[in-house]
Amino acid sequence: MHTNPVIIIKSPREIEQLKRSNTIVAEVFRELRKMVVPGMTTQELDRTAEEMILSKGAIPAFKGYRNYPATLCVSINEEVVHGIPGPRKLREGDIVSIDVGVNLNGYFGDAAITLPIGEVDQGAKRLLEVTEKALHIGIETARVGNRLHDISHAIQKWVEGKGFSVVREFVGHGIGKNLHEEPQVPNFGSPGQGPRLEKGMVFALEPMVNEGSYEVKILSDGWTVVTADGKRSAHFEHTIAITEGKAEILSTL
Ligand code: MF3
Ligand code: CO
């Protein structure tokens, strides 16, 4: 039994600050999307992202967080999240999840996308489409009057209806003056449960969707999360603010 999480409500001017931070995240993705080609290394992506963030007067939010060593998380194929950039080269047919966090003036931005490298197979295309749509179904459900786990349930129902599974061990989160705040936002759950959504709440929704079973394990580097069955996984994330009507996506241009 746990007590209710304290969810910090953000003022309109704080949401403006969060939007500025998340806009930098979106700008990084615009750049990385243009860059990714077979043969490039994941550390080249990391370097570009870091330089861009610093040039805008912001700080990479993941670097140094619990000793995480890089600006991006780059997770390829069966890697789910938290892959550490390095000398590995992207290959035609890979799917690559890229996660970026930014701290601008103490306000955090966080988002992720999964990109196909060159031509990918039909299964990969479907996995990416279903995962991105899962995020948007979550956003659509994130409305005043609904409860937190209505979001979780909507994502789970969509994903499982398509024959995929949702990762249980990693979840979305509140975000604001910290990268991770209450509440946890699972991608699975029962409708009608959890706190009521209120204007001014800000969440990072981040479905992680596996082709096979939902079980994951962590590699010996202490970070990289991979599927237990070796099948592929995709990840899309946006930071959103609850308003009247449809939630506002902050991590977009
Ligand atoms: N988007 C992820 C999260 O919210 C990325 C965290 S990576 C870490 O947890 F390095 F910062 F841990
Ligand atoms: Co996140």
Side-chain angles (χ1 to χ4, degrees):
M1 187 65 195
H2 55 83
T3 51
N4 290 329
V6 177
I7 304 174
I8 302 167
I9 302 293
K10 279 79 182 181
S11 69
R13 67 155 284 285
E14 285 181 302
I15 289 174
E16 262 323 298
Q17 296 299 308
L18 290 165
K19 194 166 182 172
R20 289 181 62 199
S21 179
N22 276 286
T23 297
I24 296 173
V25 170
E27 287 168 342
V28 168
F29 282 130
R30 186 177 55 192
E31 195 60 33
L32 296 183
R33 273 177 194 284
K34 284 192 279 181
M35 265 181 87
V36 287
V37 282
M40 78 180 303
T41 68
T42 58
Q43 68 201 6
E44 290 175 81
L45 294 172
D46 191 71
R47 188 163 169 205
T48 300
E50 177 158 352
E51 284 173 0
M52 264 188 85
I53 292 165
L54 294 173
S55 77
K56 290 167 190 297
I59 302 167
F62 300 165
K63 202 170 191 170
Y65 181 87
R66 299 186 183 194
N67 290 323
Y68 186 73
T71 293
L72 300 179
C73 300
V74 184
S75 310
I76 304 174
N77 296 336
E78 79 287 356
E79 297 173 354
V80 179
V81 286
H82 302 171
I84 301 172
R88 179 168 173 185
K89 290 187 164 89
L90 303 180
R91 294 169 54 175
E92 174 99 19
D94 284 343
I95 59 169
V96 181
S97 301
I98 305 174
D99 196 339
V100 187
V102 163
N103 170 357
L104 180 70
N105 302 326
Y107 290 89
F108 284 80
D110 186 9
I113 57 174
T114 303
L115 296 174
I117 304 305
E119 255 324 292
V120 300
D121 65 43
Q122 208 47 50
K125 283 181 188 160
R126 206 166 144 266
L127 178 65
L128 267 49
E129 279 166 19
V130 167
T131 309
E132 187 166 20
K133 181 81 187 287
L135 172 58
H136 287 281
I137 287 170
I139 295 169
E140 193 56 53
T141 311
R143 287 170 183 265
V144 172
N146 284 348
R147 287 181 182 267
L148 188 73
H149 293 191
D150 293 334
I151 301 172
S152 313
H153 177 74
I155 291 171
Q156 179 179 23
K157 194 170 159 221
W158 163 256
V159 168
E160 292 181 353
K162 295 292 172 183
F164 296 135
S165 64
V166 291
V167 171
R168 306 304 204 242
E169 288 175 51
F170 297 86
V171 296
H173 50 95
I175 179 168
K177 295 182 97 152
N178 295 101
L179 177 60
H180 296 134
E181 294 182 356
E182 296 288 353
Q184 293 195 12
V185 187
N187 298 300
F188 60 95
S190 310
Q193 303 292 306
R196 274 191 194 286
L197 302 180
E198 291 172 34
K199 182 169 185 268
M201 291 179 174
V202 179
F203 303 131
L205 303 189
E206 49 179 319
M208 288 146 268
V209 174
N210 293 355
E211 270 185 311
S213 90
Y214 62 73
E215 281 106 354
V216 298
K217 56 185 191 181
I218 299 181
L219 297 186
S220 59
D221 63 15
W223 281 102
T224 312
V225 179
V226 297
T227 59
D229 61 13
K231 294 185 181 175
R232 292 173 295 191
S233 186
H235 179 212
F236 284 85
E237 175 177 25
H238 268 310
T239 296
I240 66 165
I242 307 297
T243 62
E244 283 128 17
K246 193 180 182 223
E248 183 184 4
I249 301 176
L250 302 182
S251 47
T252 193
L253 295 174

Short mmCIF file of all heavy atoms in Angstrom, two decimals, residues 124-166:
data_model
loop_
_atom_site.label_atom_id
_atom_site.label_comp_id
_atom_site.label_asym_id
_atom_site.label_seq_id
_atom_site.Cartn_x
_atom_site.Cartn_y
_atom_site.Cartn_z
N ALA A 124 9.48 -4.26 -38.65
CA ALA A 124 10.04 -3.07 -38.00
C ALA A 124 9.14 -1.86 -38.23
O ALA A 124 8.88 -1.09 -37.32
CB ALA A 124 11.45 -2.80 -38.52
N LYS A 125 8.67 -1.72 -39.47
CA LYS A 125 7.79 -0.59 -39.78
C LYS A 125 6.55 -0.62 -38.90
O LYS A 125 6.11 0.39 -38.37
CB LYS A 125 7.36 -0.64 -41.26
CG LYS A 125 8.44 -0.18 -42.20
CD LYS A 125 7.96 -0.22 -43.66
CE LYS A 125 9.13 0.05 -44.60
NZ LYS A 125 8.89 -0.43 -45.96
N ARG A 126 5.98 -1.82 -38.77
CA ARG A 126 4.77 -1.97 -37.99
C ARG A 126 5.03 -1.66 -36.51
O ARG A 126 4.24 -0.98 -35.84
CB ARG A 126 4.24 -3.40 -38.17
CG ARG A 126 2.77 -3.49 -37.95
CD ARG A 126 2.19 -4.80 -38.44
NE ARG A 126 1.14 -5.16 -37.51
CZ ARG A 126 1.30 -5.96 -36.46
NH1 ARG A 126 2.46 -6.54 -36.25
NH2 ARG A 126 0.29 -6.18 -35.65
N LEU A 127 6.15 -2.15 -36.00
CA LEU A 127 6.51 -1.90 -34.59
C LEU A 127 6.63 -0.39 -34.33
O LEU A 127 6.13 0.12 -33.32
CB LEU A 127 7.83 -2.61 -34.25
CG LEU A 127 8.35 -2.41 -32.84
CD1 LEU A 127 7.40 -3.01 -31.79
CD2 LEU A 127 9.75 -3.03 -32.69
N LEU A 128 7.28 0.32 -35.24
CA LEU A 128 7.45 1.77 -35.07
C LEU A 128 6.10 2.49 -35.14
O LEU A 128 5.82 3.38 -34.32
CB LEU A 128 8.40 2.33 -36.14
CG LEU A 128 9.88 2.41 -35.75
CD1 LEU A 128 10.40 1.13 -35.16
CD2 LEU A 128 10.74 2.84 -36.93
N GLU A 129 5.28 2.11 -36.10
CA GLU A 129 3.97 2.76 -36.24
C GLU A 129 3.10 2.53 -35.00
O GLU A 129 2.47 3.46 -34.50
CB GLU A 129 3.23 2.19 -37.46
CG GLU A 129 3.67 2.82 -38.77
CD GLU A 129 3.18 2.01 -39.99
OE1 GLU A 129 2.22 1.20 -39.83
OE2 GLU A 129 3.78 2.19 -41.06
N VAL A 130 3.08 1.29 -34.54
CA VAL A 130 2.23 0.97 -33.38
C VAL A 130 2.72 1.70 -32.13
O VAL A 130 1.92 2.20 -31.34
CB VAL A 130 2.18 -0.57 -33.16
CG1 VAL A 130 1.58 -0.91 -31.80
CG2 VAL A 130 1.40 -1.24 -34.29
N THR A 131 4.03 1.81 -31.97
CA THR A 131 4.58 2.46 -30.77
C THR A 131 4.33 3.96 -30.79
O THR A 131 3.92 4.56 -29.78
CB THR A 131 6.09 2.17 -30.64
OG1 THR A 131 6.30 0.76 -30.74
CG2 THR A 131 6.62 2.66 -29.30
N GLU A 132 4.53 4.58 -31.96
CA GLU A 132 4.29 6.02 -32.04
C GLU A 132 2.81 6.33 -31.83
O GLU A 132 2.44 7.27 -31.13
CB GLU A 132 4.78 6.59 -33.39
CG GLU A 132 4.70 8.09 -33.41
CD GLU A 132 5.48 8.73 -34.56
OE1 GLU A 132 5.77 8.04 -35.56
OE2 GLU A 132 5.77 9.94 -34.45
N LYS A 133 1.96 5.49 -32.41
CA LYS A 133 0.51 5.67 -32.22
C LYS A 133 0.13 5.46 -30.76
O LYS A 133 -0.75 6.15 -30.24
CB LYS A 133 -0.24 4.70 -33.14
CG LYS A 133 -1.76 4.78 -33.09
CD LYS A 133 -2.33 5.93 -33.91
CE LYS A 133 -3.82 6.13 -33.72
NZ LYS A 133 -4.67 5.13 -34.33
N ALA A 134 0.81 4.52 -30.08
CA ALA A 134 0.54 4.29 -28.65
C ALA A 134 0.80 5.57 -27.86
O ALA A 134 0.01 5.93 -26.97
CB ALA A 134 1.42 3.15 -28.12
N LEU A 135 1.89 6.26 -28.18
CA LEU A 135 2.19 7.53 -27.51
C LEU A 135 1.05 8.51 -27.75
O LEU A 135 0.57 9.18 -26.82
CB LEU A 135 3.52 8.09 -28.01
CG LEU A 135 3.86 9.50 -27.55
CD1 LEU A 135 3.90 9.61 -26.03
CD2 LEU A 135 5.21 9.94 -28.14
N HIS A 136 0.58 8.60 -29.00
CA HIS A 136 -0.46 9.59 -29.30
C HIS A 136 -1.80 9.22 -28.70
O HIS A 136 -2.57 10.11 -28.31
CB HIS A 136 -0.49 9.89 -30.80
CG HIS A 136 0.72 10.71 -31.18
ND1 HIS A 136 0.79 12.06 -30.95
CD2 HIS A 136 1.95 10.35 -31.66
CE1 HIS A 136 1.99 12.51 -31.31
NE2 HIS A 136 2.72 11.49 -31.75
N ILE A 137 -2.07 7.94 -28.57
CA ILE A 137 -3.28 7.52 -27.86
C ILE A 137 -3.18 7.90 -26.38
O ILE A 137 -4.14 8.37 -25.78
CB ILE A 137 -3.51 5.99 -28.05
CG1 ILE A 137 -3.98 5.73 -29.48
CG2 ILE A 137 -4.48 5.44 -27.02
CD1 ILE A 137 -4.01 4.27 -29.88
N GLY A 138 -2.00 7.74 -25.82
CA GLY A 138 -1.76 8.17 -24.44
C GLY A 138 -2.00 9.67 -24.28
O GLY A 138 -2.68 10.11 -23.35
N ILE A 139 -1.47 10.45 -25.21
CA ILE A 139 -1.62 11.91 -25.15
C ILE A 139 -3.10 12.29 -25.26
O ILE A 139 -3.60 13.15 -24.53
CB ILE A 139 -0.79 12.59 -26.26
CG1 ILE A 139 0.71 12.36 -26.01
CG2 ILE A 139 -1.10 14.08 -26.35
CD1 ILE A 139 1.63 12.75 -27.16
N GLU A 140 -3.79 11.63 -26.17
CA GLU A 140 -5.21 11.88 -26.39
C GLU A 140 -6.03 11.61 -25.12
O GLU A 140 -7.03 12.28 -24.84
CB GLU A 140 -5.68 10.97 -27.54
CG GLU A 140 -7.01 11.28 -28.13
CD GLU A 140 -7.14 12.71 -28.63
OE1 GLU A 140 -6.28 13.16 -29.43
OE2 GLU A 140 -8.09 13.37 -28.20
N THR A 141 -5.58 10.64 -24.33
CA THR A 141 -6.30 10.23 -23.12
C THR A 141 -5.94 11.11 -21.91
O THR A 141 -6.60 11.07 -20.87
CB THR A 141 -6.00 8.74 -22.82
OG1 THR A 141 -6.18 7.99 -24.02
CG2 THR A 141 -6.92 8.17 -21.75
N ALA A 142 -4.88 11.91 -22.06
CA ALA A 142 -4.37 12.71 -20.94
C ALA A 142 -5.17 14.00 -20.81
O ALA A 142 -4.72 15.08 -21.20
CB ALA A 142 -2.89 13.01 -21.15
N ARG A 143 -6.38 13.87 -20.30
CA ARG A 143 -7.31 15.01 -20.23
C ARG A 143 -7.84 15.19 -18.83
O ARG A 143 -8.03 14.22 -18.09
CB ARG A 143 -8.50 14.76 -21.15
CG ARG A 143 -8.18 14.89 -22.62
CD ARG A 143 -9.35 14.39 -23.43
NE ARG A 143 -9.06 14.42 -24.85
CZ ARG A 143 -9.37 15.42 -25.67
NH1 ARG A 143 -10.05 16.46 -25.22
NH2 ARG A 143 -9.05 15.39 -26.95
N VAL A 144 -8.11 16.44 -18.48
CA VAL A 144 -8.73 16.77 -17.20
C VAL A 144 -9.99 15.92 -17.04
O VAL A 144 -10.78 15.79 -17.98
CB VAL A 144 -9.10 18.27 -17.14
CG1 VAL A 144 -9.92 18.58 -15.88
CG2 VAL A 144 -7.85 19.12 -17.20
N GLY A 145 -10.15 15.33 -15.87
CA GLY A 145 -11.33 14.50 -15.60
C GLY A 145 -11.00 13.02 -15.71
O GLY A 145 -11.58 12.21 -15.00
N ASN A 146 -10.06 12.67 -16.60
CA ASN A 146 -9.60 11.28 -16.64
C ASN A 146 -8.64 11.03 -15.48
O ASN A 146 -8.15 11.96 -14.85
CB ASN A 146 -8.88 10.98 -17.96
CG ASN A 146 -9.87 10.80 -19.11
OD1 ASN A 146 -11.07 10.68 -18.90
ND2 ASN A 146 -9.34 10.80 -20.33
N ARG A 147 -8.39 9.74 -15.23
CA ARG A 147 -7.40 9.38 -14.21
C ARG A 147 -6.12 8.90 -14.87
O ARG A 147 -6.12 8.47 -16.02
CB ARG A 147 -7.98 8.29 -13.29
CG ARG A 147 -9.05 8.86 -12.36
CD ARG A 147 -9.58 7.77 -11.45
NE ARG A 147 -10.64 8.26 -10.59
CZ ARG A 147 -10.44 8.73 -9.35
NH1 ARG A 147 -9.21 8.78 -8.84
NH2 ARG A 147 -11.44 9.15 -8.64
N LEU A 148 -5.05 8.96 -14.09
CA LEU A 148 -3.72 8.66 -14.63
C LEU A 148 -3.67 7.30 -15.33
O LEU A 148 -3.13 7.17 -16.43
CB LEU A 148 -2.67 8.70 -13.51
CG LEU A 148 -1.23 8.61 -13.98
CD1 LEU A 148 -0.81 9.90 -14.66
CD2 LEU A 148 -0.30 8.30 -12.83
N HIS A 149 -4.25 6.29 -14.71
CA HIS A 149 -4.13 4.95 -15.30
C HIS A 149 -5.05 4.73 -16.49
O HIS A 149 -4.95 3.71 -17.17
CB HIS A 149 -4.30 3.87 -14.22
CG HIS A 149 -3.17 3.88 -13.23
ND1 HIS A 149 -2.98 2.87 -12.32
CD2 HIS A 149 -2.17 4.77 -13.03
CE1 HIS A 149 -1.92 3.15 -11.57
NE2 HIS A 149 -1.42 4.30 -11.99
N ASP A 150 -5.94 5.70 -16.75
CA ASP A 150 -6.67 5.66 -18.02
C ASP A 150 -5.67 5.77 -19.17
O ASP A 150 -5.84 5.13 -20.22
CB ASP A 150 -7.69 6.80 -18.11
CG ASP A 150 -8.84 6.64 -17.11
OD1 ASP A 150 -9.14 5.50 -16.71
OD2 ASP A 150 -9.43 7.67 -16.72
N ILE A 151 -4.65 6.61 -18.98
CA ILE A 151 -3.59 6.74 -20.00
C ILE A 151 -2.88 5.39 -20.16
O ILE A 151 -2.72 4.88 -21.27
CB ILE A 151 -2.55 7.82 -19.57
CG1 ILE A 151 -3.21 9.19 -19.39
CG2 ILE A 151 -1.40 7.87 -20.56
CD1 ILE A 151 -2.26 10.24 -18.78
N SER A 152 -2.48 4.83 -19.03
CA SER A 152 -1.74 3.55 -19.03
C SER A 152 -2.55 2.47 -19.73
O SER A 152 -2.03 1.72 -20.57
CB SER A 152 -1.48 3.11 -17.59
OG SER A 152 -0.97 4.19 -16.81
N HIS A 153 -3.80 2.40 -19.38
CA HIS A 153 -4.67 1.36 -19.94
C HIS A 153 -4.86 1.52 -21.45
O HIS A 153 -4.83 0.54 -22.19
CB HIS A 153 -6.03 1.39 -19.23
CG HIS A 153 -7.00 0.41 -19.77
ND1 HIS A 153 -6.90 -0.95 -19.51
CD2 HIS A 153 -8.06 0.56 -20.60
CE1 HIS A 153 -7.88 -1.57 -20.14
NE2 HIS A 153 -8.59 -0.68 -20.82
N ALA A 154 -5.06 2.77 -21.86
CA ALA A 154 -5.29 3.02 -23.29
C ALA A 154 -4.07 2.59 -24.11
O ALA A 154 -4.20 1.99 -25.19
CB ALA A 154 -5.59 4.51 -23.52
N ILE A 155 -2.89 2.88 -23.60
CA ILE A 155 -1.66 2.49 -24.29
C ILE A 155 -1.56 0.96 -24.35
O ILE A 155 -1.33 0.37 -25.41
CB ILE A 155 -0.42 3.09 -23.59
CG1 ILE A 155 -0.40 4.62 -23.76
CG2 ILE A 155 0.87 2.45 -24.09
CD1 ILE A 155 0.65 5.35 -22.93
N GLN A 156 -1.75 0.31 -23.21
CA GLN A 156 -1.64 -1.15 -23.15
C GLN A 156 -2.63 -1.84 -24.08
O GLN A 156 -2.28 -2.77 -24.81
CB GLN A 156 -1.88 -1.63 -21.72
CG GLN A 156 -1.81 -3.15 -21.59
CD GLN A 156 -2.01 -3.63 -20.17
OE1 GLN A 156 -2.62 -2.94 -19.34
NE2 GLN A 156 -1.49 -4.82 -19.87
N LYS A 157 -3.86 -1.35 -24.06
CA LYS A 157 -4.90 -1.98 -24.87
C LYS A 157 -4.57 -1.89 -26.36
O LYS A 157 -4.71 -2.87 -27.11
CB LYS A 157 -6.24 -1.28 -24.56
CG LYS A 157 -7.43 -2.03 -25.05
CD LYS A 157 -8.71 -1.42 -24.50
CE LYS A 157 -9.86 -1.86 -25.40
NZ LYS A 157 -10.82 -0.79 -25.64
N TRP A 158 -4.13 -0.72 -26.78
CA TRP A 158 -3.76 -0.53 -28.19
C TRP A 158 -2.60 -1.47 -28.57
O TRP A 158 -2.66 -2.17 -29.58
CB TRP A 158 -3.37 0.94 -28.42
CG TRP A 158 -2.61 1.17 -29.69
CD1 TRP A 158 -1.28 1.40 -29.81
CD2 TRP A 158 -3.13 1.19 -31.03
NE1 TRP A 158 -0.92 1.56 -31.12
CE2 TRP A 158 -2.05 1.44 -31.89
CE3 TRP A 158 -4.41 1.03 -31.57
CZ2 TRP A 158 -2.20 1.53 -33.28
CZ3 TRP A 158 -4.56 1.11 -32.96
CH2 TRP A 158 -3.46 1.36 -33.79
N VAL A 159 -1.56 -1.46 -27.76
CA VAL A 159 -0.34 -2.22 -28.09
C VAL A 159 -0.64 -3.72 -28.11
O VAL A 159 -0.27 -4.44 -29.06
CB VAL A 159 0.78 -1.90 -27.08
CG1 VAL A 159 1.95 -2.87 -27.24
CG2 VAL A 159 1.25 -0.45 -27.26
N GLU A 160 -1.29 -4.21 -27.08
CA GLU A 160 -1.56 -5.65 -27.01
C GLU A 160 -2.54 -6.07 -28.09
O GLU A 160 -2.44 -7.18 -28.64
CB GLU A 160 -2.01 -6.03 -25.60
CG GLU A 160 -0.87 -5.86 -24.60
CD GLU A 160 -1.21 -6.23 -23.17
OE1 GLU A 160 -2.39 -6.52 -22.87
OE2 GLU A 160 -0.27 -6.24 -22.34
N GLY A 161 -3.46 -5.18 -28.43
CA GLY A 161 -4.39 -5.46 -29.54
C GLY A 161 -3.68 -5.64 -30.87
O GLY A 161 -4.20 -6.27 -31.79
N LYS A 162 -2.49 -5.08 -30.98
CA LYS A 162 -1.68 -5.22 -32.20
C LYS A 162 -0.70 -6.38 -32.10
O LYS A 162 0.15 -6.58 -32.97
CB LYS A 162 -0.92 -3.91 -32.49
CG LYS A 162 -1.83 -2.74 -32.81
CD LYS A 162 -2.52 -2.95 -34.15
CE LYS A 162 -3.59 -1.90 -34.41
NZ LYS A 162 -4.31 -2.14 -35.66
N GLY A 163 -0.78 -7.14 -31.00
CA GLY A 163 0.06 -8.34 -30.87
C GLY A 163 1.45 -8.07 -30.30
O GLY A 163 2.30 -8.98 -30.30
N PHE A 164 1.68 -6.86 -29.80
CA PHE A 164 2.97 -6.54 -29.18
C PHE A 164 2.79 -6.47 -27.66
O PHE A 164 1.68 -6.63 -27.15
CB PHE A 164 3.51 -5.21 -29.72
CG PHE A 164 3.83 -5.22 -31.20
CD1 PHE A 164 3.42 -4.17 -32.02
CD2 PHE A 164 4.55 -6.25 -31.77
CE1 PHE A 164 3.73 -4.16 -33.37
CE2 PHE A 164 4.87 -6.25 -33.13
CZ PHE A 164 4.45 -5.20 -33.93
N SER A 165 3.89 -6.20 -26.94
CA SER A 165 3.77 -6.10 -25.48
C SER A 165 4.39 -4.80 -24.98
O SER A 165 5.23 -4.21 -25.65
CB SER A 165 4.44 -7.30 -24.81
OG SER A 165 5.83 -7.30 -25.08
N VAL A 166 3.95 -4.37 -23.80
CA VAL A 166 4.52 -3.15 -23.20
C VAL A 166 5.47 -3.52 -22.06
O VAL A 166 5.16 -4.38 -21.24
CB VAL A 166 3.43 -2.18 -22.66
CG1 VAL A 166 2.64 -1.57 -23.81
CG2 VAL A 166 2.50 -2.86 -21.68
#
